[in-house]
Amino acid sequence: MQETWRWFGPLDDITLPEIRQTGATGIVTALHEIPYGEVWPLEAILARKAMIEQAGLRWSVVESLPVHEDVKRGTGDLQRIFANYRESLRNLGKAGIPTVCYNFMPVLDWTRTDLAYRMATGALALRFDAMRQAAFDVLMLERPGAEADHRPDVLAAARAWFAGATQADRDTLLTSIMAGLPGAYDRYDIPGLRRMLDSYAGIDAAALKAHLARFLREVVPTAEEAGIAMCMHPDDPPRPILGLPRIISNRQDLADLIAMVDSPANGITFCTGSLGAGVANNLPALAREFAPRVAFLHLRNVTKEPDGSFHEADHLAGDVDMPAVIAAFLAEEKRRGTEIPYRPDHGHVLLSDAGRKTHPGYTLIGRLRGLAELRGVIAGLRHHAPV
């Protein structure tokens, strides 16, 4: 399996020389400075690729080539947006970058309510707290009908928390929820978020899936011609958020995705954290079933709670049977005869991570620990059960 590392470009506080010392050989990055819906020029792609290669690394995966919100809503000048996306794919193919990760989550990517949840060891982790999410949705955002989306006991706890929360507590909660776009720099205040949510009025899961299918029909043939595997990231968390539908959350959703366009260029980013937060998702079984269509792996772990809360655990702790998942993909690699890129997804704030200006979840020492642990699992599985 190819070890990769997410890097947010020249403005990332973690440098390419530091990444090389982790042992990872591949870089996962994007041209974050280019607005959504615009073309990635070949010259800009080649310049970023040269920067990576000068550090002794290679650009293995694009994460992400973002999908414009108009595509998800099915509005606006879609033909121009589709044409630009196709041109970006052609340029990435010319540059020899084989894999493009993207997602189809409306408005926000991953959603967390706590960016510094203290673990028993003193490490800081990301957390989704169902009570705080309800407090934000019902009492801060004041979304019409939001009460129906939260359990009564969670709502009661949310009202109690909100009654005692300071303005600083509420501001911190808003900042935490807005942090779910780690590669983008647009953030919403409460009025701005309300306007974005209003723009999705009337769009349910079925409509969003129809918009996804149209997008795939428009761009996957170009990806196939360019020699690129597109791989969609699952919803995080795998449930509706703020009244927005989520459509890649479980086994049926994954099956629907690959059936939309029957092409090897239409694949999956298998994220053990996102799928692992779904109570009904059996990760080893999903890995075995969908391995032939998986082009990229995000490996992290979560510990779930009965009320729907979860936090990001150590990579080999939590509810996901990580060795069983990895074993499924080692078997798939043997079948293909090629490596599947993976990256240690998210990481706790450990040791000298404190104080560094890194994106939430994208620490140096925390991810280095995760990478080392995953590397050990892979080596152990290969030694005891060669594949």
Side-chain angles (χ1 to χ4, degrees):
M1 300 175 79
Q2 183 195 359
E3 297 178 358
T4 68
W5 188 278
R6 191 170 191 185
W7 178 61
F8 292 98
L11 297 180
D12 197 327
D13 190 64
I14 298 172
T15 66
L16 291 171
E18 287 178 306
I19 294 170
R20 190 170 185 189
Q21 291 184 48
T22 69
T25 58
I27 291 294
V28 177
T29 194
L31 302 183
H32 298 295
E33 65 275 15
I34 297 180
Y36 291 11
E38 300 302 316
V39 173
W40 285 19
L42 178 59
E43 296 78 9
I45 295 168
L46 291 174
R48 187 62 51 86
K49 183 183 180 187
M51 182 184 302
I52 293 166
E53 290 177 345
Q54 287 166 8
L57 300 160
R58 57 179 167 171
W59 190 352
S60 300
V61 180
V62 170
E63 186 179 355
S64 297
L65 181 57
V67 179
H68 196 282
E69 293 294 324
D70 279 351
V71 175
K72 301 171 193 175
R73 290 184 292 241
T75 60
D77 188 0
L78 293 181
Q79 289 309 311
R80 184 188 73 86
I81 293 173
F82 291 144
N84 287 351
Y85 205 99
R86 288 191 291 264
E87 187 63 21
S88 297
L89 289 172
R90 292 188 190 100
N91 290 339
L92 288 166
K94 291 174 185 176
I97 302 169
T99 308
V100 170
C101 174
Y102 70 102
N103 76 71
F104 217 75
M105 289 179 269
V107 183
L108 297 173
D109 285 8
W110 54 264
T111 302
R112 301 291 185 272
T113 60
D114 300 85
L115 304 181
Y117 174 68
R118 189 166 295 278
M119 305 285 286
T121 61
L124 303 179
L126 302 180
R127 175 175 167 81
F128 178 90
D129 187 295
M131 176 274 291
R132 281 183 169 80
Q133 179 69 16
F136 179 81
D137 194 13
V138 175
L139 303 169
M140 291 176 59
L141 191 60
E142 297 178 318
R143 181 174 63 87
E147 292 90 343
D149 292 343
H150 303 277
R151 289 175 18 173
D153 59 326
V154 172
L155 268 177
R159 296 185 191 282
W161 177 86
F162 187 78
T166 65
Q167 187 59 47
D169 293 332
R170 299 172 190 179
D171 291 344
T172 297
L173 179 55
L174 174 62
T175 299
S176 298
I177 290 173
M178 290 300 103
L181 290 168
Y185 298 97
D186 288 337
R187 298 292 184 265
Y188 305 112
D189 56 12
I190 293 292
L193 183 55
R194 286 177 181 144
R195 288 192 293 272
M196 282 299 299
L197 295 178
D198 287 345
S199 74
Y200 278 87
I203 298 177
D204 60 10
L208 190 61
K209 278 195 175 182
H211 297 164
L212 171 61
R214 180 182 180 185
F215 168 71
L216 293 175
R217 290 193 298 269
E218 292 279 353
V219 304
V220 168
T222 299
E224 189 169 354
E225 292 168 7
I228 288 174
M230 293 186 63
C231 46
M232 186 170 173
H233 190 286
D235 303 326
D236 186 8
R239 68 192 70 165
I241 294 288
L242 304 179
L244 296 166
R246 294 292 180 94
I247 58 171
I248 305 295
S249 296
N250 54 44
R251 184 207 166 276
Q252 187 59 56
D253 292 337
L254 294 173
D256 290 346
L257 167 66
I258 62 176
M260 287 175 182
V261 176
D262 187 13
S263 165
N266 176 31
I268 297 164
T269 297
F270 196 92
C271 178
T272 56
S274 299
L275 293 168
V279 174
N281 289 336
N282 180 322
L283 270 291
L286 291 176
R288 290 188 291 269
E289 179 177 0
F290 292 102
R293 297 298 287 269
V294 170
F296 184 34
L297 298 171
H298 288 182
L299 300 181
R300 62 182 171 86
N301 221 316
V302 293
T303 296
K304 300 185 289 293
E305 300 170 29
D307 68 353
S309 302
F310 62 88
H311 68 266
E312 301 197 0
D314 293 332
H315 284 74
L316 301 186
D319 298 333
V320 177
D321 185 346
M322 194 66 72
V325 170
I326 291 173
F329 289 109
L330 288 174
E332 175 61 18
E333 283 190 333
K334 181 179 180 182
R335 186 190 70 82
R336 295 184 194 182
T338 58
E339 289 187 316
I340 300 173
Y342 80 93
R343 66 174 178 84
D345 195 18
H346 295 178
H348 294 164
V349 176
L350 301 177
L351 305 171
S352 59
D353 286 330
R356 291 196 72 164
K357 296 179 180 179
T358 55
H359 293 283
Y362 291 94
T363 56
L364 177 60
I365 306 300
R367 283 188 289 167
L368 175 59
R369 175 183 171 178
L371 179 60
E373 292 179 343
L374 295 168
R375 183 183 294 147
V377 169
I378 293 167
L381 288 170
R382 283 178 169 155
H383 177 73
H384 290 290
V387 294

